[in-house]
Amino acid sequence: MTEQSGSCVLVTGALGQIGTELVPALRQRHGIDSVIATDLREINDHSVVASGIFTVADVLDKNRLEELIISHSVDTIYHLAAILSATGEKNPELCERVNLGGLANVLELAKEHNLRLYTPSSIAVFGPDCPPLAPQETPLNPTTMYGMTKVAGEVMANYYWENHGVDVRGIRYPGLISWKAPPGGGTTDYAVEIFHHAVESGNYTCFVKPDTKLPMMYMDDAIRATLELMDAPIESLGTARAGYNIAGVSFTAEELSNAIVAKIPNFVCGFEPDIRQKYADSWPSMIDDTQAQNDWGWKPLFGLEQLVGEMLSNLQDEN
Ligand code: NAD
Ligand code: SER
């Protein structure tokens, strides 16, 4: 990665699953003092995010964000603060308020202070009427509040681009698999929890059915995709700029369990579907990312075997 001097970046929701890995990657590029990590939560001294600037900020507090933008001469925001699908269905009002209210604030600030903005979307934009291989352009009829906020978020982002020239970009991330920070209350969390249980106790009860197949991605691919999209020349981006489909690897819960058994033969996985099965069933099983390949050269590196190998060896080293 090349260091980009003169750029100061603000990250919201920096203590979450993605922020824990994106913040160090951004610090490596821009310099340690040029990345302002923020979150609603107080930081734990052991967090990797604690190695640079961190301050508490609620994305619903626009004045606080503006104060940080001005005092640090911020020119780019990575807006990660959100309420994910499973937590969002437990508290849809909070999900709507944080996801839409927070985005409205950063979009306005981006317009007022001429900032670049990265705001992630999700495979949750798709609904049950989507084909199993989700096209870039297809009717978006999500059935979760989280998915609805992501569809509205893409529409809002496009509005600010079309009407105010705000350079806003986003990716419809698949379920992300990583070992450095726990996932934050999503439907795809089983694909992370299973590794922790495999290493710590040798057994796991999965909350979706064995044949549930969803699009997933190893975090290293997701971080690289984020930086590559932000590096892409503005003229190369098309109508998908606020919500590019990107594919990583799709597998069923049983295929994931079998891939772990291949490395840990005594591992036992049971299946007891809960309400999250319904959310998983409303999403497509694969993603067509032709547009991202064509517009900014997207290509994933991690397949199922590599992902399982990385997850297990890193978690085993930690234990
Ligand atoms: P996460 O839940 O792990 O982290 C979100 C962070 O936002 C948390 O640290 C939380 O404390 C913070 N937060 C919540 N409310 C806040 C508020 N009012 N003000 C400031 N901070 C607040 O989520 P993540 O997995 O890191 O996801 C980041 C973004 O990526 C979200 O927009 C999410 O929808 C999107 N995404 C994630 C995945 C995934 O699998 N992790 C998949 C698709 C899209
Ligand atoms: N991983 C996320 C979730 O399950 C998808 O956006 O909520």
Side-chain angles (χ1 to χ4, degrees):
M1 282 183 206
T2 53
E3 181 168 320
Q4 295 175 350
S5 58
S7 183
C8 188
V9 170
L10 178 93
V11 182
T12 71
L15 299 182
Q17 189 190 6
I18 299 176
T20 298
E21 307 216 23
L22 184 62
V23 167
L26 291 170
R27 286 187 176 144
Q28 200 183 333
R29 299 195 127 200
H30 299 283
I32 192 119
D33 295 328
S34 298
V35 177
I36 318 303
T38 70
D39 202 287
L40 188 62
R41 296 184 267 160
E42 285 288 352
I43 199 165
N44 169 330
D45 287 345
H46 303 299
S47 165
V48 292
V49 176
S51 66
I53 302 168
F54 173 83
T55 185
V56 169
D58 183 343
V59 291
L60 297 180
D61 184 348
K62 187 174 172 224
N63 292 337
R64 171 78 178 127
L65 295 179
E66 184 160 42
E67 190 183 285
L68 292 169
I69 288 164
I70 293 170
S71 61
H72 292 278
S73 303
V74 166
D75 59 30
T76 307
I77 298 183
Y78 287 78
H79 177 55
L80 305 180
I83 305 297
L84 275 70
S85 59
T87 310
E89 287 308 284
K90 283 188 194 146
N91 194 341
E93 187 275 332
L94 178 72
C95 181
E96 184 180 12
R97 189 153 44 89
V98 172
N99 295 8
L100 295 183
L103 180 59
N105 282 342
V106 294
L107 281 166
E108 265 303 293
L109 289 165
K111 181 186 85 177
E112 290 162 8
H113 295 273
N114 194 24
L115 313 176
R116 299 178 74 223
L117 175 61
Y118 177 77
T119 176
S121 187
S122 162
I123 54 163
V125 293
F126 301 111
D129 58 342
C130 178
L133 174 65
Q136 177 69 49
E137 286 187 27
T138 190
L140 299 177
N141 294 305
T143 49
T144 60
M145 175 57 81
Y146 172 72
M148 292 173 209
T149 67
K150 291 297 180 185
V151 174
E154 289 187 16
V155 173
M156 286 160 68
N158 277 314
Y159 179 91
Y160 273 75
W161 162 244
E162 296 288 344
N163 293 284
H164 303 298
V166 175
D167 183 2
V168 49
R169 306 178 182 201
I171 285 172
R172 291 172 179 161
Y173 290 130
L176 300 182
I177 299 181
S178 67
W179 56 275
K180 291 184 185 163
T187 301
T188 57
D189 291 13
Y190 65 89
V192 178
E193 288 174 6
I194 192 170
F195 289 101
H196 289 268
H197 287 255
V199 169
E200 286 158 26
S201 66
N203 62 73
Y204 179 62
T205 305
C206 182
F207 58 76
V208 297
K209 291 189 286 187
D211 62 353
T212 303
K213 182 174 178 180
L214 287 176
M216 301 283 181
M217 179 173 283
Y218 192 54
M219 187 61 85
D220 290 27
D221 270 345
I223 300 297
R224 185 171 53 80
T226 306
L227 299 175
E228 285 179 4
L229 174 62
M230 289 303 274
D231 282 348
I234 197 163
E235 59 279 4
S236 68
L237 305 182
T239 50
R241 62 175 304 126
Y244 273 102
N245 276 9
I246 62 167
V249 52
S250 288
F251 45 78
T252 66
E254 188 169 41
E255 285 165 345
L256 176 59
S257 163
N258 290 342
I260 295 174
V261 170
K263 305 260 185 200
I264 305 180
N266 293 333
F267 174 61
V268 177
C269 185
F271 297 89
E272 280 179 23
D274 66 18
I275 184 67
R276 290 169 283 188
Q277 181 70 51
K278 186 176 148 200
Y279 318 147
D281 288 345
S282 75
W283 297 344
S285 49
M286 290 178 297
I287 298 294
D288 179 350
D289 63 4
T290 312
Q291 194 75 50
Q293 292 176 36
N294 293 342
D295 288 2
W296 46 279
W298 169 243
K299 197 175 183 316
L301 294 179
F302 286 83
L304 179 57
E305 203 179 317
Q306 295 95 320
L307 175 161
V308 169
E310 285 287 314
M311 285 296 289
L312 291 178
S313 64
N314 282 303
L315 289 173
Q316 280 160 343
D317 285 351
E318 267 203 335
N319 272 269

